Structure formats: C-alpha cells, structure tokens
C-alpha cells in the first residue's frame, strides 16, 4: 500500500466575455464530403484563437514522411507517421530546448529488448508484410500560441484526504484507504493542507499524461500540464522538480498555448525505469504541493485502468445518482492498495453538450435549419465557444476525486462525441460541414489536445501521435507483454465513415513494424463498442415512427435541436453495426484477425459509450481458445459517472442479441458473453449479458498464464443520494481471463 498522492488546487475566476453583434453573412459550404478541419483555425474561417499570449518560436510540421511498401495512399501533406514506439539510441547532438524530443525512430523486429539489446541497422527488413522499415525522424520541439461554463459542480467540494509527505523509495505502509476513499464530497483541500505555489497560481492541473517507453535508454516518457491564472501571465516559466528517492531533476515548463492571459505550461518528463520494480515518483511545482505517481519497472507490464462517459447528461439528477465521486473514490482506493501505471480514457472524459445552452448558441439555433447551415459563425459566437470549452475543462478537470486522479495517474485519452457535443461526426453532411459546426469542431479540438494530450495541432507529431492527415491516433507500449492502439474514431467520422483507408493502412503498418516480437496482447481502444447487440430495427424505423428507444428510455427529446431528425438517430449512426459502417467494420475485423494470426498476438477491444457493462466476443470455436486467433473479446465499460439505461432498454438489447456470422479470415461467430449471472447484491439475473450499473474496469498481465485478467467493477446498490453518510457502497468485480495466443 502506498501513500495518498492526491491534491487539488483552488479555482480561479474568469473574465466575462465581451460580445459584439456583427451583421450575419451567408456561408457557402465547400464542395465534396465533409472533412473535419486538419488545421487550426480552419482555413478561410474568421476564427482566430482568442489569446493575448504570443509564442516565442514557431513550428513547421514534419511532412517528408515516406510511407512503407504497402503505404497509406493519401496525398495529404498533413499526414505524419507520429512517434515510433521504440526510438533508437540518440544521435550526438545538442538537446533540443524546452523538453524531450525522441530521436530518429525505427521499428524493432526482434524480441522485447533486454538491457544489453543492440538494435539492428536502420532500414533492415523486419520480415513483415509491409516490406522495408520506416524511418520517421522527429522535429525539434517548439512553442505555439494560444470556461464549462461552470455549472454547479456535481462533485461538490474536493475530498479531504490525509497528506503524508513522500520519503525516499517506496513506503512500507500508508493510511488505510478508508481514511479517504469515501470522502469525495466532503471536506476541503483548498485551505491549509498544502501551502500555495510560491510563484504561480494554477486554475487547472497538474494533469499527468503517459506517452511511451524508450527501451533503448530505459526511459519512461510523459508530461505534466498546468494552466496558470491570468494574474500570473507575466511570471517566469514554472519549474517542476521530481524525485524517485535516489535522485531528483528539475524541468522547466514550455508554454504551448494561452487563453485570456492564462498560459498552458507543459513539463516534458523523461524518467529512468528500474529494471524490475515499480517506483514512486514524487513531484512538485515551484516548491508547492507534493504529488506522486508510479512508473513500472522495465520488466513489468502495466496495471491499467479504463473508464468512459465521465459526466452527466443534461436531464440527469446527479445528486440522486450519488454525484460524480463514488466510483472515482473506489478506484483511488484500489490504486492506493496496488497502484495503476496508466489510466485510459475511452471517450467522453467530460460532457460539453451544455454549449448549445449558451445564449450565443441559442441565437444560432433560433435560425431555421437551412439558415443555420449557411450562416457564417459570428465573432461573438466564436468567443462564446472558446470561453465555454476553456471554462468547462478548467472546472471539470480540477474538481473532486477525478481531479485528484488526473494528478496521480498518467493518462492516455481518446475523445468521443460528448467531448465536443452530443453526436458530433454522425450528423448529415449539411449539418457537419456548416461553418458554425466546423468552428465548434476546431475549438473543441484545440482544448481537447491541450487538456487531454498536452499538445497543439502543430506539436502533435512530436508528442506520440500518428495521422494520415486528419485526427490523432496512438500506438504505445504498456510494458513487455502488451501494446495499446488508440484509434481516433471521431476526427474523420462522417455519417458514412468512421476512419479513412489511409488511417487503417498507417495503423496496421505501425502495428506490424513497431510492436516487438514477444508481445502477447494488443489492446484496441475504440470509443464505441465494435461488438454490441444490433439496433438495425430501430435504425430502419427511426425515420417513419420516431424515436423508438428514446420513448422507451425517456432519456432524450424526440427531435434533435440541431437538424430536426429523431434524437437518437445520431447515436445509432455512431455504432459500428450501423448499415453505413458495417462493411468498414467487417474489413477492420478481418485485418485484425490476420494480424493476430501473423504475429500471434491476442487482440482485445476496450470501449465505452453505451452506459452499461458488457463483454462481446468473436470466436471461430477452435479449442483450446489459446489456439484461436479469431478469439477477440470486447470489454464494454461505461459509464463511470453518467446514468445507466433503464431496465426496459437492457431487456430490448438482450432480445436483439443473436449470434452473428463474420465471413472473415475464417468463419467467426459473434455474440455477447453471459458475464453477469448475478447482480451486485447477489440476485440472479435473467439478462446476463449487459449490466445497467455505473462501472469502470482494470486489467493486468498474469505472467504465469500469459493471459490478461480484466475486471469490471460495477457500483453496488447505493445507500442514499449524494452527501448521504454511508451512501457509497463500493463495487463488485466481474472478471474474465483473456488467454494468450499460442504459436
């Protein structure tokens, strides 16, 4: 057990927006299909980031990437290969200013490197179907330019938590998690638990991010982001000091963006790994509060935690549901007993649907649908959009147990629709490519990259992403047994497409080239489950008889305010099994089966979105399962905060669940696995495939069996609403063993 590392910083105030009222202009949408803007701000738009911060350098994205033998065929010069998983030894050169930039990368083709591992010659054949290996040099790091509207917080006041100071090495004891795990709505950490920072006042952060491992230098690579208050804008760059019990290092922040005199400060972290054991890293900023997190040993596989849907829909009574803290408190208690090395956000890390309730957005929505799609986004609308996202992030990412977790567990995130607005990407082309929607997409992307990835549209090639031109995808290591592919299934999304062929080609090229031989598991994170009961019947009926599921659930209005279509049609269009996405889905699944068979790597999906727990399964029924490369499980873990669907919806989904046949590499059977034979209170369940309770999941590698053990923790029956003593009752775990794939 380890000391509690969690601490919040006080919130600041925000200057009110200054609105102007220019004359409306008619916007002519571009010809062709909708594509989200690859640049920020969108070319030809009136949108300029509202900031008084001016960067001191500029960065030109690297665009000379040469694709592999079977390449992505996009001619888009915005494409970049992103950070390779295992960069080679650095070249003799002066360190780049402002933080770590990995050297020229190459894809290793041998087993997981040992301490004496010598990499092969760059460009040597890796024996993979993509031919010659890829050389993808990084550019030098750079700096670039640059609230939710704070509603009454469902988190309540930050938790009151013991604050033992870290000592050298790993501690032998710590307070019981019962001393703090269930206090998420009580107490106040913003008083005298820690002295304020001596130089900077932060209105958000610290926020931890994990990027990758540099196995040649035995380094863990990540970052910390803080957002300063406006009154600190003229002060020098803050300094972070980290300590592993044996040595310490100071890191000066890099200013990557600014908004209303608030500066986004990024600290680049490069931390040596121990050979075998997890070690505690304590850190502080400008001599302020102490925080700590944990870095796995070089021979260790990461313990990971996964969550999604971390917010409330607009019609949810958050107090009656218990607020946002209960499952985060439960997770932090488990983290205290056995630390997580990474926290994977599967989409909807916050809900930004309230944007459309802003006064300026109501002006836009008051127009007819046709006028709405042709009107240029007005400057005061743009300012309101920026102000909303900035405040929304600063508020949601700094409060309650979730704010504590972000300072204590490095994250790997991917967005979904609610990180922008409900249904973004799945609306008809005329709505998606309207000028105001394009601006909403560009602004939300700006703050998504800053708060969730500590990056900007120009810096993403250096911060561990790869792209075929639009969107940010991730391939990273979770230790010697497991790799993680995080596919951006939102940036390129249209009503007719989830991801482009170029993105799939680039992802598979990187998987074949960069995942080392000896890896046993690949986690594929998708926002929306790729295995889930079909809803084609509702999709077919939606246009003629209205919102079938919505009427059953009573959870949404019948008509969408953006385009007048049935409200849940955008949700149905989001699903991989929608008619317009089915062919793309089946091709993707077949390519993953081929990859699993070629590399003898077990593929497992982790997804959220649907507000219930479940386990999908693809199998060719080969026995034993260790011999079946078609066996792929779909972990569904949602929502950690939002309300589960009503029992009637779960019953309807069970009724729709049937065995489906995928004519892929070999005939594959798809169904939902009956994982929930009893409820959290022990009551037998007839509907045993989907569990309508708030939940999160975690996974760990079993070195004795070679399997990954995945546990979904479902919220127990509550003892009362938020702030009720004894209201939090913890969770019940449901575990499945994902077997290794034998050669």
């Amino acid at each position: 057990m380890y000391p509690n590392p969690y601490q919040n910083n006080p919130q600041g105030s925000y200057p009110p927006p200054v609105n102007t009222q220019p004359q409306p202009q008619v916007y002519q949408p571009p010809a062709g299909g909708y594509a989200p803007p690859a640049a920020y701000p969108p070319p030809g738009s009136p949108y300029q980031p509202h900031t008084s911060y001016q960067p001191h350098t500029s960065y030109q994205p690297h665009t000379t990437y040469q694709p592999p033998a079977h390449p992505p065929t996009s001619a888009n010069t915005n494409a970049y290969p992103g950070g390779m998983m295992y960069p080679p030894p650095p070249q003799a050169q002066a360190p780049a200013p402002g933080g770590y930039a990995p050297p020229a990368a190459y894809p290793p083709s041998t087993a997981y490197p040992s301490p004496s591992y010598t990499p092969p010659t760059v460009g040597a054949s890796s024996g993979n179907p993509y031919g010659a290996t890829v050389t993808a040099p990084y550019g030098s790091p750079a700096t670039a330019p640059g609230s939710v509207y704070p509603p009454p917080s469902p988190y309540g006041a930050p938790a009151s938590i013991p604050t033992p100071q870290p000592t050298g090495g790993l501690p032998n004891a710590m307070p019981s998690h019962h001393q703090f795990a269930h206090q998420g709505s009580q107490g106040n950490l913003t008083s005298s638990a820690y002295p304020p920072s001596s130089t900077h006042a932060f209105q958000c952060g610290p926020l931890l991010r994990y990027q990758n491992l540099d196995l040649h230098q035995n380094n863990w690579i990540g970052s910390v982001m803080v957002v300063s208050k406006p009154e600190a804008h003229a002060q020098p760059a803050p300094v972070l000091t980290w300590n592993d019990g044996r040595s310490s290092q100071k890191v000066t922040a890099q200013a990557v963006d600014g908004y209303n005199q608030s500066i986004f400060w990024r600290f680049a972290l490069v931390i040596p790994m121990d050979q075998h054991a997890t070690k505690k890293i304590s850190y502080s900023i400008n001599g302020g509060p102490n925080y700590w997190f944990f870095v796995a040993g070089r021979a260790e596989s990461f313990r990971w935690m996964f969550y999604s849907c971390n917010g409330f829909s607009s019609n949810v009574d958050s107090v009656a549901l218990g607020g946002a803290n209960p499952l985060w408190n439960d997770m932090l208690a488990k983290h205290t007993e056995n630390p997580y090395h990474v926290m994977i956000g599967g989409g909807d890390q916050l809900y930004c649907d309230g944007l459309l309730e802003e006064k300026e957005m109501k002006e836009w929505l008051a127009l007819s649908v046709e006028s709405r799609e042709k009107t240029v986004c007005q400057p005061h609308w743009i300012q309101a959009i920026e102000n909303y996202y900035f405040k929304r992030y600063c508020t949601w990412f700094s409060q309650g147990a979730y704010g504590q977790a972000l300072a204590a567990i490095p994250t790997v995130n991917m967005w979904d629709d609610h990180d922008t607005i409900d249904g973004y990407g799945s609306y008809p082309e005329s709505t998606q490519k309207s000028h105001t929607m394009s601006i909403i997409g560009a602004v939300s992307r700006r703050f998504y990259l800053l708060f969730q990835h500590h990056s900007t549209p120009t810096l993403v090639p250096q911060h561990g992403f790869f792209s075929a031109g639009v969107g940010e995808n991730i391939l990273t290591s979770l230790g010697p047994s497991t790799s993680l592919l995080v596919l951006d299934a939102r940036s390129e999304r249209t009503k007719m497409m989830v991801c482009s062929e170029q993105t799939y080609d680039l992802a598979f090229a990187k998987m074949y080239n960069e995942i080392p031989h000896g890896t046993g598991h690949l986690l594929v994170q998708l926002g929306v489950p790729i295995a889930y009961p079909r809803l084609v019947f509702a999709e077919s009926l939606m246009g003629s008889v209205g919102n079938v599921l919505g009427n059953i659930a009573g959870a949404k209005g019948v008509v969408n305010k953006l385009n007048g279509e049935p409200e849940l049609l955008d949700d149905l269009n989001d699903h991989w099994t929608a008619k317009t996405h089915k062919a793309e889905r089946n091709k993707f699944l077949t390519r993953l089966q081929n990859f699993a068979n070629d590399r003898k790597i077990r593929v497992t999906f982790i997804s959220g979105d649907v507000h219930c727990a479940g386990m999908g399964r693809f199998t060719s029924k080969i026995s034993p399962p260790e011999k079946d490369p078609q066996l792929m499980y779909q972990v569904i873990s949602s929502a950690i905060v939002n309300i589960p669907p009503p029992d009637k919806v779960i019953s309807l989904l069970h009724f729709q669940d049937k065995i489906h046949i995928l004519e892929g590499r070999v005939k594959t059977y798809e169904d939902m696995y009956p994982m929930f034979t009893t409820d959290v209170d022990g009551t037998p369940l007839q509907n045993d495939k989907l569990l309508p309770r708030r939940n999160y999941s975690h996974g760990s590698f079993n070195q004795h069996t070679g399997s990954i053990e995945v546990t979904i923790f479902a919220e127990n029956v509550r003892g009362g609403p938020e702030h009720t003593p004894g209201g939090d009752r913890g969770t019940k775990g449901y575990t499945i063993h994902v077997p290794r794939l034998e050669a």
Side-chain angles (χ1 to χ4, degrees):
M1 299 174 66
Y2 303 96
N4 166 51
Y6 317 118
Q7 165 72 24
N8 283 343
N9 287 311
Q11 293 295 298
S13 59
Y14 307 95
V18 178
N19 294 332
T20 59
Q21 299 289 338
Q23 294 299 315
Q25 298 171 274
V26 176
Y27 170 65
Q28 297 298 328
Y34 166 75
Y40 170 81
S45 81
Y47 177 48
Q48 295 297 324
H50 179 67
T51 174
S52 60
Y53 170 69
Q54 296 300 321
H56 44 273
T57 61
S58 60
Y59 171 72
Q60 297 299 320
H62 174 73
T63 58
T64 58
Y65 168 60
Q66 297 299 317
H70 294 275
T73 57
S74 173
N76 190 336
T77 57
N78 288 319
Y80 54 90
M84 307 293 280
M85 287 183 65
Y86 306 105
Q91 304 297 316
Q93 57 186 9
Y100 175 75
Y106 84 104
S109 58
T110 61
Y112 196 81
S114 66
S116 60
Y117 171 72
T118 301
T121 303
V122 173
S125 172
S126 63
N128 67 69
Y130 283 85
T133 56
V134 183
T135 300
Y138 284 79
S140 60
T143 57
S147 275
V148 140
Y149 187 31
S153 170
Y155 281 109
S160 177
I161 293 175
T163 55
Q165 299 298 310
T167 56
L170 289 177
N172 296 318
M174 71 155 297
S176 165
H177 72 267
H178 295 292
Q179 291 179 257
F180 64 87
H182 301 302
Q183 300 176 11
S185 299
Q186 304 167 13
N188 190 344
L189 263 184
T190 63
S191 55
S192 59
Y194 286 110
S197 171
S198 59
T199 312
H200 278 267
F202 301 119
Q203 62 188 52
C204 189
L207 311 174
L208 276 166
R209 178 178 183 254
Y210 166 66
Q211 181 173 320
N212 216 326
L213 302 178
D214 178 351
L215 296 181
H216 303 294
Q217 299 297 316
N218 293 332
N219 287 330
W220 179 100
I221 303 168
S223 58
V224 171
M225 176 71 80
V226 294
V227 184
S228 66
K229 291 183 177 179
E231 56 265 29
H233 76 279
Q235 301 211 6
V239 175
L240 179 148
T241 303
W242 63 261
N243 188 303
D244 65 0
R246 294 186 295 273
S247 62
S248 64
Q249 181 174 325
K250 294 183 182 296
V251 180
T252 302
Q254 175 189 17
V256 296
D257 202 347
Y259 178 76
N260 274 354
Q261 296 188 321
S262 291
I263 297 176
F264 291 83
W265 294 105
R266 182 183 189 271
F267 302 90
L269 300 184
V270 183
I271 298 174
M273 296 181 290
D274 284 355
Q275 176 60 32
H276 297 290
T278 291
K279 68 176 180 180
K280 181 189 68 175
I281 305 297
S282 64
Y283 71 100
S284 64
I285 300 171
N286 286 353
N290 280 298
Y291 308 84
W292 46 88
F293 62 98
F294 298 88
V295 170
R298 190 174 180 280
E300 279 188 300
S301 294
F302 287 24
R303 294 185 73 252
W304 50 268
M305 175 266 180
F306 176 80
Y307 73 99
S308 67
C309 303
N310 182 46
F312 293 109
S313 300
S314 58
N315 61 338
V316 173
D317 184 345
S318 62
V319 174
L321 196 60
N325 279 320
L327 270 71
W328 284 111
N329 284 333
D330 187 82
M331 186 279 292
L332 290 176
K334 290 178 173 59
H335 173 65
T336 303
E337 296 173 345
N338 196 0
Y340 295 115
H341 299 110
V342 68
M343 182 165 70
I344 304 169
D348 303 338
Q349 277 71 256
L350 76 173
Y351 277 58
C352 295
D353 307 340
L355 171 66
L356 299 182
E357 299 302 320
E358 295 294 287
K359 173 173 65 70
E360 294 81 359
M361 292 294 93
K362 288 182 177 179
E363 295 175 14
W364 177 54
L365 293 173
L367 303 174
S368 67
V369 172
E370 182 179 3
S371 298
R372 197 180 301 158
E373 294 174 351
K374 293 182 178 179
T375 299
V376 168
C377 189
Q378 304 301 302
H380 70 291
W381 298 354
I382 296 172
Q383 187 176 4
I385 293 168
E386 285 186 312
N387 197 49
Y388 177 89
Y389 282 108
F390 178 75
K391 288 187 176 181
R392 181 61 171 159
Y393 269 106
C394 283
T395 301
W396 196 257
F397 276 37
S398 292
Q399 293 188 354
Y402 182 55
Q404 298 161 19
L406 292 174
I409 308 173
T411 60
V412 175
N413 291 326
M414 183 51 64
W415 64 350
D416 205 19
D417 58 335
H418 291 281
D419 298 84
T420 302
I421 55 172
D422 184 20
Y424 185 81
S426 290
Y427 290 112
E429 179 182 321
S430 59
T431 300
Q432 279 292 152
K433 70 181 182 182
S434 69
H435 196 247
T436 299
M437 280 288 278
S438 295
I439 294 295
I440 289 171
V443 177
S444 72
R445 180 186 179 220
R446 174 193 181 187
F447 291 110
Y448 158 69
L449 289 176
L450 285 166
F451 283 94
Q452 299 199 39
H453 296 297
H454 311 173
S455 193
T456 69
T458 53
L459 290 174
V460 286
Q462 301 176 51
H463 292 161
F465 300 92
F466 68 91
S467 176
V470 176
E472 287 78 33
N473 308 277
I474 299 169
L475 181 62
T476 191
S477 172
L478 300 183
S481 71
T482 309
S483 292
L484 171 67
L485 173 67
V486 184
L487 197 64
D488 186 347
R490 189 57 54 181
S491 292
E492 294 181 294
R493 180 183 288 270
T494 70
K495 195 172 180 179
M496 306 302 296
M497 179 184 77
V498 179
C499 294
S500 68
E501 281 292 323
Q502 290 79 14
T503 292
Y504 289 119
D505 288 344
L506 184 54
F508 278 95
K510 290 178 71 67
M511 288 157 55
Y512 274 105
N513 286 344
E514 297 177 34
I515 297 177
H517 291 279
T519 300
H521 294 267
L522 174 67
L523 300 178
V524 179
Q525 194 279 308
L526 302 171
V528 179
I530 201 165
Y532 195 66
R534 303 293 198 270
L535 295 172
V536 176
F537 81 101
E539 188 179 4
S540 300
L541 291 173
M542 196 66 72
S544 57
V545 300
N547 188 354
V548 179
L549 287 179
N551 289 335
I552 294 174
K556 281 192 169 186
V558 174
V559 176
N560 187 289
K561 64 179 68 175
L562 282 177
N563 60 4
E565 289 188 339
E567 175 59 72
L568 279 185
L569 188 55
D570 62 287
D571 296 276
L572 296 175
N573 290 335
D574 257 7
H575 278 260
W576 287 92
T577 52
K579 292 177 182 178
T580 53
H581 300 319
K582 189 173 181 181
E584 177 184 347
R585 168 190 185 267
N586 292 347
K587 183 177 181 180
F588 181 37
L589 288 169
T590 300
R591 292 183 74 171
L592 285 169
Q593 288 180 340
N594 291 335
F595 170 79
N597 185 65
D598 293 343
R599 292 293 308 274
K600 300 299 181 263
I601 293 176
R602 175 72 66 204
V603 175
T604 302
F605 301 100
I606 51 176
S607 304
D609 182 73
V610 293
H611 298 187
C612 61
M615 189 71 63
R617 176 177 55 182
F618 300 92
T619 178
S620 61
K621 300 185 177 181
I622 293 175
S623 183
E626 288 81 2
K627 296 290 186 180
D628 184 0
Q630 286 69 235
L631 177 62
M632 299 185 290
Y633 284 102
Q634 165 70 79
V635 180
I636 303 172
S637 186
S638 169
I640 194 168
V641 167
N642 211 346
I643 190 169
D647 290 340
K648 290 182 179 180
V649 171
I650 295 299
S651 296
L652 177 61
L653 292 171
H654 275 81
F655 177 77
Q656 285 298 307
D657 181 53
K658 298 176 174 61
I659 295 177
H660 299 273
I661 305 297
L662 171 67
E663 298 291 350
R665 180 176 172 272
V666 299
K667 180 177 286 188
T668 303
Y669 302 87
E670 172 195 347
D671 65 353
M672 298 299 296
Y673 182 75
M675 190 174 184
F676 308 103
T677 55
T678 61
D679 204 347
V680 293
D681 60 358
T683 303
L685 290 175
Q686 184 176 1
N687 294 333
D688 56 4
K689 298 176 181 179
L690 297 171
L691 186 66
R693 295 199 177 275
R694 298 198 294 184
N695 65 89
Y696 67 94
S697 60
H698 78 198
S700 60
F701 178 73
N702 187 320
Q703 60 181 352
H704 301 294
T705 64
S707 64
I708 286 182
E709 297 177 357
V710 180
T711 301
I712 298 176
F713 292 101
E715 185 178 25
N716 285 334
V717 178
R718 293 190 53 76
E722 187 177 16
H723 309 303
T724 301
D728 295 357
R729 296 294 180 88
T731 57
K732 176 181 178 179
Y734 298 83
T735 301
I736 191 166
H737 301 270
V738 179
R740 69 186 187 277
L741 180 56
E742 295 179 352

